[in-house]
Amino acid sequence: MILAITGPTSGIGSETLKALVSDYEKTLILARNPKKAKILIASLPSNLQPRAIFIPVDLSDMESVSKAAVLVKQEVAQIDVLINNAGGIFQNKEVTVDGFELTYSANHLGHFLLTNLLMPLLLNSSLPRVINVSSEAHRVARPDFTDLQYEKKEYSSFNAYANVKLFNILFTKSLVDRFGDQGLSSYALHPGVVKSNFGMDTSGIFKIFWKLAKPFMISPREGAKTSIFLAKSKIDKSHNGYYFKKRKPNKPSSEAMSKKLRDRLWEASEKSVEKWM
Ligand SMILES: NC(=O)c1ccc[n+]([C@@H]2O[C@H](COP(=O)([O-])OP(=O)(O)OC[C@H]3O[C@@H](n4cnc5c(N)ncnc54)[C@H](OP(=O)(O)O)[C@@H]3O)[C@@H](O)[C@H]2O)c1
């Protein structure tokens, strides 16, 4: 069995990886920072370290995502579980090398491209799963498909983040629409409000609120529990495509259930990354 996880160098991803690594023959560490990846691998029990393989990837750079998929294909012929965990909220609008707004690119588009490029490997597994780490923030999303890159309206870090976390759920359901009949399961989840490095790239009111909330937040180990549950447990077929919270299915917003919105997102995403598909 092969596991692949994005963003395992910090917070929830790190705890998810540490809990799962012993269950898999190989674990692909998809991370952007080689130093952090090395430290992470060195922190694993020595007998497990050879099972962890570092694959460099910056999810906000589509060329890097495309190269990572090539490296993964050289390492393994199948993937059983892919956990799209990496993400973040960014205070100021930043435009990536490909011309995309950073929140959209790092939280959604990079994972959209990566998952599609790795789909043949996932479909080589008898029970493939894609797990997307979303957030309760999706409930306040107000996506504007005519201006996904914030070229016309003023950038808001929280609005951009809420939108991409909605996109994580829409993407989950689209994966089931498109690949469910080939055996693919996909789930989205809210990890809880977790004391991690999340929110460190912010300032102003959000940072003050986030600092004040820290004593009430759960640990990354606690925050990893739903990701671990979704990777390991037998889940009823009727829950394929569902959003989970505290290891249980949870009803997401009505926007998250909209077929029209998810088809629109898929089309827009496919168009954005067609050069690398
Ligand atoms: N913390 C919360 O309360 C909370 C609540 C709901 C949802 N979430 C979601 O949970 C997930 C994990 O967040 P966390 O709380 O564990 O935050 P974190 O400690 O900041 O970890 C984020 C991870 O994503 C990686 N990452 C960020 N941008 C990347 C990029 N462009 N390319 C590759 N990797 C990138 C980071 O890499 P580096 O180590 O190199 O920075 C890090 O490993 C995110 O999707 C977040 O939206 C968090």
Side-chain angles (χ1 to χ4, degrees), residues 37-69:
K38 209 174 157 192
I39 293 169
L40 172 69
I41 294 172
S43 76
L44 299 174
S46 55
N47 62 320
L48 297 177
Q49 290 175 17
R51 300 193 197 182
I53 296 148
F54 168 52
I55 306 282
V57 67
D58 180 346
L59 290 153
S60 66
D61 174 349
M62 298 308 130
E63 197 57 41
S64 163
V65 174
S66 159
K67 282 186 185 154

PDB file of all heavy atoms in Angstrom, residues 37-69:
ATOM      1  N   ALA A  37      11.636  18.618   5.137  1.00  0.00           N
ATOM      2  CA  ALA A  37      11.323  17.220   4.788  1.00  0.00           C
ATOM      3  C   ALA A  37      12.360  16.290   5.397  1.00  0.00           C
ATOM      4  O   ALA A  37      12.030  15.220   5.926  1.00  0.00           O
ATOM      5  CB  ALA A  37      11.263  17.065   3.274  1.00  0.00           C
ATOM      6  N   LYS A  38      13.632  16.726   5.357  1.00  0.00           N
ATOM      7  CA  LYS A  38      14.723  15.912   5.908  1.00  0.00           C
ATOM      8  C   LYS A  38      14.551  15.753   7.421  1.00  0.00           C
ATOM      9  O   LYS A  38      14.681  14.650   7.968  1.00  0.00           O
ATOM     10  CB  LYS A  38      16.054  16.621   5.588  1.00  0.00           C
ATOM     11  CG  LYS A  38      17.209  15.684   5.449  1.00  0.00           C
ATOM     12  CD  LYS A  38      18.447  16.424   4.990  1.00  0.00           C
ATOM     13  CE  LYS A  38      19.650  15.613   5.405  1.00  0.00           C
ATOM     14  NZ  LYS A  38      20.890  16.362   5.255  1.00  0.00           N
ATOM     15  N   ILE A  39      14.219  16.858   8.084  1.00  0.00           N
ATOM     16  CA  ILE A  39      14.019  16.819   9.548  1.00  0.00           C
ATOM     17  C   ILE A  39      12.837  15.912   9.881  1.00  0.00           C
ATOM     18  O   ILE A  39      12.888  15.106  10.812  1.00  0.00           O
ATOM     19  CB  ILE A  39      13.806  18.256  10.107  1.00  0.00           C
ATOM     20  CG1 ILE A  39      15.095  19.064   9.955  1.00  0.00           C
ATOM     21  CG2 ILE A  39      13.327  18.238  11.557  1.00  0.00           C
ATOM     22  CD1 ILE A  39      14.964  20.548  10.215  1.00  0.00           C
ATOM     23  N   LEU A  40      11.780  16.027   9.083  1.00  0.00           N
ATOM     24  CA  LEU A  40      10.591  15.186   9.312  1.00  0.00           C
ATOM     25  C   LEU A  40      10.946  13.702   9.193  1.00  0.00           C
ATOM     26  O   LEU A  40      10.603  12.898  10.064  1.00  0.00           O
ATOM     27  CB  LEU A  40       9.503  15.554   8.289  1.00  0.00           C
ATOM     28  CG  LEU A  40       8.283  14.656   8.258  1.00  0.00           C
ATOM     29  CD1 LEU A  40       7.444  14.820   9.526  1.00  0.00           C
ATOM     30  CD2 LEU A  40       7.419  14.951   7.039  1.00  0.00           C
ATOM     31  N   ILE A  41      11.657  13.359   8.128  1.00  0.00           N
ATOM     32  CA  ILE A  41      12.011  11.943   7.917  1.00  0.00           C
ATOM     33  C   ILE A  41      12.918  11.455   9.047  1.00  0.00           C
ATOM     34  O   ILE A  41      12.732  10.359   9.583  1.00  0.00           O
ATOM     35  CB  ILE A  41      12.635  11.731   6.515  1.00  0.00           C
ATOM     36  CG1 ILE A  41      11.577  12.017   5.432  1.00  0.00           C
ATOM     37  CG2 ILE A  41      13.190  10.301   6.362  1.00  0.00           C
ATOM     38  CD1 ILE A  41      12.063  12.038   4.005  1.00  0.00           C
ATOM     39  N   ALA A  42      13.851  12.324   9.475  1.00  0.00           N
ATOM     40  CA  ALA A  42      14.773  11.937  10.563  1.00  0.00           C
ATOM     41  C   ALA A  42      14.034  11.758  11.887  1.00  0.00           C
ATOM     42  O   ALA A  42      14.520  11.067  12.783  1.00  0.00           O
ATOM     43  CB  ALA A  42      15.866  12.990  10.699  1.00  0.00           C
ATOM     44  N   SER A  43      12.855  12.387  12.016  1.00  0.00           N
ATOM     45  CA  SER A  43      12.099  12.272  13.276  1.00  0.00           C
ATOM     46  C   SER A  43      11.302  10.962  13.354  1.00  0.00           C
ATOM     47  O   SER A  43      10.767  10.623  14.400  1.00  0.00           O
ATOM     48  CB  SER A  43      11.131  13.457  13.422  1.00  0.00           C
ATOM     49  OG  SER A  43      10.000  13.271  12.576  1.00  0.00           O
ATOM     50  N   LEU A  44      11.236  10.235  12.245  1.00  0.00           N
ATOM     51  CA  LEU A  44      10.488   8.964  12.239  1.00  0.00           C
ATOM     52  C   LEU A  44      11.350   7.865  12.865  1.00  0.00           C
ATOM     53  O   LEU A  44      12.591   7.943  12.827  1.00  0.00           O
ATOM     54  CB  LEU A  44      10.139   8.571  10.795  1.00  0.00           C
ATOM     55  CG  LEU A  44       9.264   9.547  10.008  1.00  0.00           C
ATOM     56  CD1 LEU A  44       9.127   9.096   8.544  1.00  0.00           C
ATOM     57  CD2 LEU A  44       7.883   9.683  10.642  1.00  0.00           C
ATOM     58  N   PRO A  45      10.753   6.813  13.430  1.00  0.00           N
ATOM     59  CA  PRO A  45      11.551   5.699  13.929  1.00  0.00           C
ATOM     60  C   PRO A  45      12.476   5.192  12.815  1.00  0.00           C
ATOM     61  O   PRO A  45      12.065   5.149  11.641  1.00  0.00           O
ATOM     62  CB  PRO A  45      10.498   4.645  14.289  1.00  0.00           C
ATOM     63  CG  PRO A  45       9.226   5.416  14.470  1.00  0.00           C
ATOM     64  CD  PRO A  45       9.312   6.613  13.583  1.00  0.00           C
ATOM     65  N   SER A  46      13.713   4.811  13.185  1.00  0.00           N
ATOM     66  CA  SER A  46      14.714   4.526  12.145  1.00  0.00           C
ATOM     67  C   SER A  46      14.280   3.413  11.183  1.00  0.00           C
ATOM     68  O   SER A  46      14.601   3.463   9.996  1.00  0.00           O
ATOM     69  CB  SER A  46      16.071   4.222  12.766  1.00  0.00           C
ATOM     70  OG  SER A  46      15.910   3.187  13.683  1.00  0.00           O
ATOM     71  N   ASN A  47      13.507   2.439  11.674  1.00  0.00           N
ATOM     72  CA  ASN A  47      13.070   1.362  10.768  1.00  0.00           C
ATOM     73  C   ASN A  47      12.053   1.858   9.727  1.00  0.00           C
ATOM     74  O   ASN A  47      11.867   1.234   8.684  1.00  0.00           O
ATOM     75  CB  ASN A  47      12.481   0.185  11.569  1.00  0.00           C
ATOM     76  CG  ASN A  47      11.251   0.594  12.365  1.00  0.00           C
ATOM     77  OD1 ASN A  47      11.199   1.673  12.936  1.00  0.00           O
ATOM     78  ND2 ASN A  47      10.236  -0.248  12.360  1.00  0.00           N
ATOM     79  N   LEU A  48      11.413   2.996  10.005  1.00  0.00           N
ATOM     80  CA  LEU A  48      10.391   3.506   9.068  1.00  0.00           C
ATOM     81  C   LEU A  48      10.958   4.542   8.092  1.00  0.00           C
ATOM     82  O   LEU A  48      10.347   4.825   7.062  1.00  0.00           O
ATOM     83  CB  LEU A  48       9.221   4.115   9.833  1.00  0.00           C
ATOM     84  CG  LEU A  48       8.427   3.160  10.739  1.00  0.00           C
ATOM     85  CD1 LEU A  48       7.344   3.913  11.491  1.00  0.00           C
ATOM     86  CD2 LEU A  48       7.805   2.024   9.911  1.00  0.00           C
ATOM     87  N   GLN A  49      12.126   5.079   8.438  1.00  0.00           N
ATOM     88  CA  GLN A  49      12.670   6.163   7.598  1.00  0.00           C
ATOM     89  C   GLN A  49      12.844   5.769   6.128  1.00  0.00           C
ATOM     90  O   GLN A  49      12.508   6.557   5.242  1.00  0.00           O
ATOM     91  CB  GLN A  49      13.991   6.665   8.181  1.00  0.00           C
ATOM     92  CG  GLN A  49      13.779   7.431   9.472  1.00  0.00           C
ATOM     93  CD  GLN A  49      15.072   7.847  10.139  1.00  0.00           C
ATOM     94  OE1 GLN A  49      16.129   7.856   9.522  1.00  0.00           O
ATOM     95  NE2 GLN A  49      14.986   8.207  11.405  1.00  0.00           N
ATOM     96  N   PRO A  50      13.316   4.539   5.825  1.00  0.00           N
ATOM     97  CA  PRO A  50      13.483   4.199   4.401  1.00  0.00           C
ATOM     98  C   PRO A  50      12.164   4.149   3.625  1.00  0.00           C
ATOM     99  O   PRO A  50      12.161   4.215   2.405  1.00  0.00           O
ATOM    100  CB  PRO A  50      14.116   2.795   4.448  1.00  0.00           C
ATOM    101  CG  PRO A  50      14.649   2.642   5.829  1.00  0.00           C
ATOM    102  CD  PRO A  50      13.805   3.485   6.715  1.00  0.00           C
ATOM    103  N   ARG A  51      11.052   4.064   4.347  1.00  0.00           N
ATOM    104  CA  ARG A  51       9.745   4.020   3.651  1.00  0.00           C
ATOM    105  C   ARG A  51       9.273   5.405   3.220  1.00  0.00           C
ATOM    106  O   ARG A  51       8.325   5.528   2.458  1.00  0.00           O
ATOM    107  CB  ARG A  51       8.670   3.463   4.590  1.00  0.00           C
ATOM    108  CG  ARG A  51       8.940   2.074   5.093  1.00  0.00           C
ATOM    109  CD  ARG A  51       7.655   1.566   5.722  1.00  0.00           C
ATOM    110  NE  ARG A  51       7.917   0.430   6.578  1.00  0.00           N
ATOM    111  CZ  ARG A  51       6.967  -0.236   7.217  1.00  0.00           C
ATOM    112  NH1 ARG A  51       5.698   0.133   7.099  1.00  0.00           N
ATOM    113  NH2 ARG A  51       7.270  -1.260   7.971  1.00  0.00           N
ATOM    114  N   ALA A  52       9.883   6.464   3.760  1.00  0.00           N
ATOM    115  CA  ALA A  52       9.437   7.834   3.464  1.00  0.00           C
ATOM    116  C   ALA A  52      10.287   8.428   2.349  1.00  0.00           C
ATOM    117  O   ALA A  52      11.513   8.485   2.454  1.00  0.00           O
ATOM    118  CB  ALA A  52       9.538   8.679   4.723  1.00  0.00           C
ATOM    119  N   ILE A  53       9.631   8.825   1.288  1.00  0.00           N
ATOM    120  CA  ILE A  53      10.367   9.342   0.115  1.00  0.00           C
ATOM    121  C   ILE A  53       9.962  10.792  -0.130  1.00  0.00           C
ATOM    122  O   ILE A  53       8.764  11.089  -0.292  1.00  0.00           O
ATOM    123  CB  ILE A  53      10.050   8.479  -1.125  1.00  0.00           C
ATOM    124  CG1 ILE A  53      10.580   7.067  -0.879  1.00  0.00           C
ATOM    125  CG2 ILE A  53      10.655   9.053  -2.397  1.00  0.00           C
ATOM    126  CD1 ILE A  53       9.770   6.013  -1.541  1.00  0.00           C
ATOM    127  N   PHE A  54      10.959  11.660  -0.126  1.00  0.00           N
ATOM    128  CA  PHE A  54      10.688  13.088  -0.329  1.00  0.00           C
ATOM    129  C   PHE A  54      10.521  13.403  -1.817  1.00  0.00           C
ATOM    130  O   PHE A  54      11.375  13.077  -2.635  1.00  0.00           O
ATOM    131  CB  PHE A  54      11.835  13.912   0.265  1.00  0.00           C
ATOM    132  CG  PHE A  54      11.826  15.367  -0.132  1.00  0.00           C
ATOM    133  CD1 PHE A  54      10.682  16.142   0.027  1.00  0.00           C
ATOM    134  CD2 PHE A  54      12.962  15.966  -0.661  1.00  0.00           C
ATOM    135  CE1 PHE A  54      10.659  17.483  -0.338  1.00  0.00           C
ATOM    136  CE2 PHE A  54      12.960  17.313  -1.021  1.00  0.00           C
ATOM    137  CZ  PHE A  54      11.801  18.065  -0.862  1.00  0.00           C
ATOM    138  N   ILE A  55       9.403  14.020  -2.147  1.00  0.00           N
ATOM    139  CA  ILE A  55       9.164  14.495  -3.519  1.00  0.00           C
ATOM    140  C   ILE A  55       8.985  16.018  -3.431  1.00  0.00           C
ATOM    141  O   ILE A  55       8.015  16.494  -2.831  1.00  0.00           O
ATOM    142  CB  ILE A  55       7.867  13.877  -4.118  1.00  0.00           C
ATOM    143  CG1 ILE A  55       7.870  12.339  -4.051  1.00  0.00           C
ATOM    144  CG2 ILE A  55       7.584  14.410  -5.526  1.00  0.00           C
ATOM    145  CD1 ILE A  55       8.693  11.628  -5.099  1.00  0.00           C
ATOM    146  N   PRO A  56       9.917  16.790  -4.012  1.00  0.00           N
ATOM    147  CA  PRO A  56       9.757  18.250  -3.918  1.00  0.00           C
ATOM    148  C   PRO A  56       8.572  18.750  -4.741  1.00  0.00           C
ATOM    149  O   PRO A  56       8.409  18.348  -5.895  1.00  0.00           O
ATOM    150  CB  PRO A  56      11.077  18.796  -4.484  1.00  0.00           C
ATOM    151  CG  PRO A  56      11.700  17.674  -5.231  1.00  0.00           C
ATOM    152  CD  PRO A  56      11.123  16.382  -4.734  1.00  0.00           C
ATOM    153  N   VAL A  57       7.764  19.604  -4.122  1.00  0.00           N
ATOM    154  CA  VAL A  57       6.661  20.213  -4.867  1.00  0.00           C
ATOM    155  C   VAL A  57       6.261  21.531  -4.224  1.00  0.00           C
ATOM    156  O   VAL A  57       6.102  21.616  -3.012  1.00  0.00           O
ATOM    157  CB  VAL A  57       5.426  19.275  -4.967  1.00  0.00           C
ATOM    158  CG1 VAL A  57       4.753  19.025  -3.629  1.00  0.00           C
ATOM    159  CG2 VAL A  57       4.401  19.832  -5.951  1.00  0.00           C
ATOM    160  N   ASP A  58       6.127  22.541  -5.071  1.00  0.00           N
ATOM    161  CA  ASP A  58       5.501  23.784  -4.636  1.00  0.00           C
ATOM    162  C   ASP A  58       4.142  23.830  -5.328  1.00  0.00           C
ATOM    163  O   ASP A  58       4.060  23.959  -6.558  1.00  0.00           O
ATOM    164  CB  ASP A  58       6.372  24.987  -5.035  1.00  0.00           C
ATOM    165  CG  ASP A  58       5.740  26.293  -4.591  1.00  0.00           C
ATOM    166  OD1 ASP A  58       4.542  26.299  -4.236  1.00  0.00           O
ATOM    167  OD2 ASP A  58       6.448  27.324  -4.608  1.00  0.00           O
ATOM    168  N   LEU A  59       3.098  23.723  -4.530  1.00  0.00           N
ATOM    169  CA  LEU A  59       1.749  23.627  -5.111  1.00  0.00           C
ATOM    170  C   LEU A  59       1.271  24.937  -5.738  1.00  0.00           C
ATOM    171  O   LEU A  59       0.229  24.969  -6.387  1.00  0.00           O
ATOM    172  CB  LEU A  59       0.755  23.154  -4.047  1.00  0.00           C
ATOM    173  CG  LEU A  59       0.958  21.687  -3.657  1.00  0.00           C
ATOM    174  CD1 LEU A  59       0.473  21.422  -2.247  1.00  0.00           C
ATOM    175  CD2 LEU A  59       0.276  20.750  -4.648  1.00  0.00           C
ATOM    176  N   SER A  60       2.047  26.003  -5.545  1.00  0.00           N
ATOM    177  CA  SER A  60       1.659  27.260  -6.182  1.00  0.00           C
ATOM    178  C   SER A  60       2.432  27.484  -7.488  1.00  0.00           C
ATOM    179  O   SER A  60       2.410  28.574  -8.057  1.00  0.00           O
ATOM    180  CB  SER A  60       1.896  28.429  -5.218  1.00  0.00           C
ATOM    181  OG  SER A  60       3.270  28.572  -4.972  1.00  0.00           O
ATOM    182  N   ASP A  61       3.100  26.428  -7.955  1.00  0.00           N
ATOM    183  CA  ASP A  61       3.887  26.509  -9.189  1.00  0.00           C
ATOM    184  C   ASP A  61       3.573  25.248 -10.013  1.00  0.00           C
ATOM    185  O   ASP A  61       3.995  24.149  -9.659  1.00  0.00           O
ATOM    186  CB  ASP A  61       5.375  26.590  -8.795  1.00  0.00           C
ATOM    187  CG  ASP A  61       6.306  26.534 -10.003  1.00  0.00           C
ATOM    188  OD1 ASP A  61       5.849  26.232 -11.126  1.00  0.00           O
ATOM    189  OD2 ASP A  61       7.518  26.768  -9.804  1.00  0.00           O
ATOM    190  N   MET A  62       2.813  25.432 -11.087  1.00  0.00           N
ATOM    191  CA  MET A  62       2.283  24.260 -11.811  1.00  0.00           C
ATOM    192  C   MET A  62       3.387  23.431 -12.485  1.00  0.00           C
ATOM    193  O   MET A  62       3.240  22.229 -12.653  1.00  0.00           O
ATOM    194  CB  MET A  62       1.218  24.684 -12.834  1.00  0.00           C
ATOM    195  CG  MET A  62       0.009  25.339 -12.189  1.00  0.00           C
ATOM    196  SD  MET A  62      -0.741  24.380 -10.852  1.00  0.00           S
ATOM    197  CE  MET A  62      -0.868  25.600  -9.574  1.00  0.00           C
ATOM    198  N   GLU A  63       4.486  24.096 -12.854  1.00  0.00           N
ATOM    199  CA  GLU A  63       5.607  23.348 -13.432  1.00  0.00           C
ATOM    200  C   GLU A  63       6.178  22.401 -12.372  1.00  0.00           C
ATOM    201  O   GLU A  63       6.518  21.246 -12.667  1.00  0.00           O
ATOM    202  CB  GLU A  63       6.683  24.365 -13.885  1.00  0.00           C
ATOM    203  CG  GLU A  63       7.713  23.827 -14.856  1.00  0.00           C
ATOM    204  CD  GLU A  63       7.123  23.255 -16.140  1.00  0.00           C
ATOM    205  OE1 GLU A  63       6.174  23.847 -16.692  1.00  0.00           O
ATOM    206  OE2 GLU A  63       7.618  22.182 -16.553  1.00  0.00           O
ATOM    207  N   SER A  64       6.265  22.896 -11.155  1.00  0.00           N
ATOM    208  CA  SER A  64       6.766  22.089 -10.038  1.00  0.00           C
ATOM    209  C   SER A  64       5.815  20.914  -9.756  1.00  0.00           C
ATOM    210  O   SER A  64       6.269  19.793  -9.487  1.00  0.00           O
ATOM    211  CB  SER A  64       6.912  23.000  -8.801  1.00  0.00           C
ATOM    212  OG  SER A  64       7.014  22.251  -7.637  1.00  0.00           O
ATOM    213  N   VAL A  65       4.517  21.149  -9.851  1.00  0.00           N
ATOM    214  CA  VAL A  65       3.530  20.076  -9.630  1.00  0.00           C
ATOM    215  C   VAL A  65       3.691  19.011 -10.716  1.00  0.00           C
ATOM    216  O   VAL A  65       3.697  17.804 -10.440  1.00  0.00           O
ATOM    217  CB  VAL A  65       2.086  20.650  -9.632  1.00  0.00           C
ATOM    218  CG1 VAL A  65       1.051  19.531  -9.559  1.00  0.00           C
ATOM    219  CG2 VAL A  65       1.896  21.626  -8.473  1.00  0.00           C
ATOM    220  N   SER A  66       3.858  19.474 -11.937  1.00  0.00           N
ATOM    221  CA  SER A  66       4.005  18.551 -13.054  1.00  0.00           C
ATOM    222  C   SER A  66       5.281  17.703 -12.904  1.00  0.00           C
ATOM    223  O   SER A  66       5.268  16.481 -13.116  1.00  0.00           O
ATOM    224  CB  SER A  66       3.995  19.397 -14.338  1.00  0.00           C
ATOM    225  OG  SER A  66       4.567  18.733 -15.368  1.00  0.00           O
ATOM    226  N   LYS A  67       6.383  18.348 -12.464  1.00  0.00           N
ATOM    227  CA  LYS A  67       7.652  17.607 -12.243  1.00  0.00           C
ATOM    228  C   LYS A  67       7.489  16.611 -11.096  1.00  0.00           C
ATOM    229  O   LYS A  67       8.018  15.498 -11.148  1.00  0.00           O
ATOM    230  CB  LYS A  67       8.782  18.579 -11.900  1.00  0.00           C
ATOM    231  CG  LYS A  67       9.330  19.282 -13.125  1.00  0.00           C
ATOM    232  CD  LYS A  67      10.539  20.131 -12.749  1.00  0.00           C
ATOM    233  CE  LYS A  67      11.008  20.922 -13.949  1.00  0.00           C
ATOM    234  NZ  LYS A  67      11.706  22.148 -13.591  1.00  0.00           N
ATOM    235  N   ALA A  68       6.765  17.014 -10.054  1.00  0.00           N
ATOM    236  CA  ALA A  68       6.546  16.118  -8.902  1.00  0.00           C
ATOM    237  C   ALA A  68       5.797  14.864  -9.350  1.00  0.00           C
ATOM    238  O   ALA A  68       6.138  13.753  -8.932  1.00  0.00           O
ATOM    239  CB  ALA A  68       5.769  16.846  -7.808  1.00  0.00           C
ATOM    240  N   ALA A  69       4.803  15.044 -10.225  1.00  0.00           N
ATOM    241  CA  ALA A  69       4.032  13.887 -10.692  1.00  0.00           C
ATOM    242  C   ALA A  69       4.940  12.921 -11.463  1.00  0.00           C
ATOM    243  O   ALA A  69       4.826  11.699 -11.326  1.00  0.00           O
ATOM    244  CB  ALA A  69       2.868  14.357 -11.566  1.00  0.00           C
TER     245      ALA A  69
END
